[in-house]
Amino acid sequence: MATNYKLERLNAGRDYIADNYQAPLSLSGIAKYSYMSPYHFLRVFKDTYGETPNEFLIRLRVEQAKKMLITENFSVSEICEKVGYTSLGSFSSLFLKQVGVAPTLYRRKLWALSTEAYRFPSQAIPACYAYHFLGKLAN
Amino acid sequence: MITSIAHATIYVLNQDEALDFYKNKLGFEVGDDMKVEGDFRWLTVYPKSNSQLQLVLAEPKEGPMFTKDSADKIRSLIEEGAFGAGVFETENCQKTYEELVAKGVEFIQPPTEQLYGVEAMGIDNSGNWFSLVQR
């Protein structure tokens, strides 16, 4: 765990990623916000948060893409662009690796499960909450 | 064997306002913010340096589990301060306390020496109390 002062600087870099994940980001560009060398930033970031800046960035982008696939009508390539990727191929394979299904299939599967348009199905959240708030038990 | 706790629920009066508090005042990060069928918003937050336990910010609403009367009762109990949001750890209670006070967070007890460390007690913007502990 970093010291408090270091943690604040690290958080600044982390917040920068969180606020700008839809833009192309470079490690050296991000590290500047934490006043650290890229290599040092990478190491301390990983030690503190348990994931590398790039893993964090990918997680944010994939989470946002998942949301857009379900609650928006954009095409996969539009979504790819909106979450900061220029190549549809690399976005799709990243998504597949993280989520286990390709973007198009993810959308088709969840849309088919949901009773409402542009809403996640209750199966997408822990069942105890789905039951508690929606009265739905998984079949 | 259960290995860890993934989610715990905090009932709040309004998810937008609670999100603003946990994100912009306490500095938590948003885990999930999803629109789910049945007009449900699945909203979780966690402290940046530990995503293992996520807090679910939920509104007590009339539905399968709550009658309108129960939901109203819970809301007024939240406002009364009948519920706690839990214990949040910090490396430096005094410093974090000062930062949060500067952001307008309300405290019922300033940092105080306890048997288990230094502790302050604050309230979120729904009325849930929380402890801020440096062990």
Side-chain angles (χ1 to χ4, degrees), chain A residues 1-5 7-8 11 14-15 18 48-49 51 56 59-60 63 67 70-71 113-116 118-126 129-136, chain B residues 7-9 11 23 27 29-40 42 46-51 54 56 58-66 90-92 95-96 99:
Chain A
M1 201 59 187
T3 59
N4 226 329
Y5 166 65
L7 194 57
E8 266 169 40
N11 276 339
R14 187 184 171 92
D15 289 344
T48 305
Y49 304 119
E51 60 189 343
F56 176 56
R59 193 161 62 82
L60 289 178
E63 279 305 317
K67 247 181 267 179
I70 304 307
T71 59
L113 284 170
S114 182
T115 53
E116 282 170 65
Y118 304 115
R119 287 285 182 275
F120 277 90
S122 58
Q123 290 89 335
I125 62 171
Y129 288 94
Y131 177 62
H132 195 90
F133 289 97
L134 304 162
K136 293 189 89 153
Chain B
H7 291 105
T9 311
Y11 280 112
K23 188 179 166 194
E29 210 152 70
V30 182
D32 291 316
D33 187 356
M34 286 159 37
K35 294 172 182 164
V36 183
E37 58 181 338
D39 194 29
F40 179 62
W42 171 247
Y46 62 93
K48 287 188 176 76
S49 53
N50 186 353
S51 61
Q54 305 216 345
V56 181
E59 288 177 21
K61 273 186 184 165
E62 186 184 356
M65 292 293 271
F66 295 123
T90 170
E91 287 193 310
N92 184 328
K95 187 165 176 291
T96 307
E99 284 165 2

Side-chain angles (χ1 to χ4, degrees), chain B residues 59-122:
Chain B
E59 288 177 21
K61 273 186 184 165
E62 186 184 356
M65 292 293 271
F66 295 123
T67 60
K68 188 180 179 308
D69 187 43
S70 299
D72 287 346
K73 274 187 191 141
I74 292 174
R75 298 181 84 85
S76 64
L77 286 168
I78 294 170
E79 284 178 297
E80 275 174 37
F83 300 112
V87 179
F88 304 145
E89 283 205 311
T90 170
E91 287 193 310
N92 184 328
C93 186
Q94 183 63 38
K95 187 165 176 291
T96 307
Y97 165 80
E98 284 165 14
E99 284 165 2
L100 295 181
V101 166
K103 286 185 174 175
V105 178
E106 204 183 323
F107 278 85
I108 3 187
Q109 178 197 292
T112 311
E113 285 281 351
Q114 304 281 16
L115 289 173
Y116 44 83
V118 185
E119 178 189 49
M121 198 158 49

Side-chain angles (χ1 to χ4, degrees), chain A residues 60-72:
Chain A
L60 289 178
R61 286 175 168 175
V62 169
E63 279 305 317
Q64 185 58 24
K66 278 162 80 178
K67 247 181 267 179
M68 282 183 165
L69 283 164
I70 304 307
T71 59
E72 309 272 358

Side-chain angles (χ1 to χ4, degrees), chain A residues 62 65 76-77 80 83 85 87-104:
Chain A
V62 169
V76 174
S77 45
C80 158
V83 298
Y85 287 103
S87 148
L88 185 58
S90 62
F91 165 71
S92 294
S93 57
L94 252 177
F95 190 96
L96 177 64
K97 203 173 127 200
Q98 299 278 321
V99 186
V101 287
T104 315

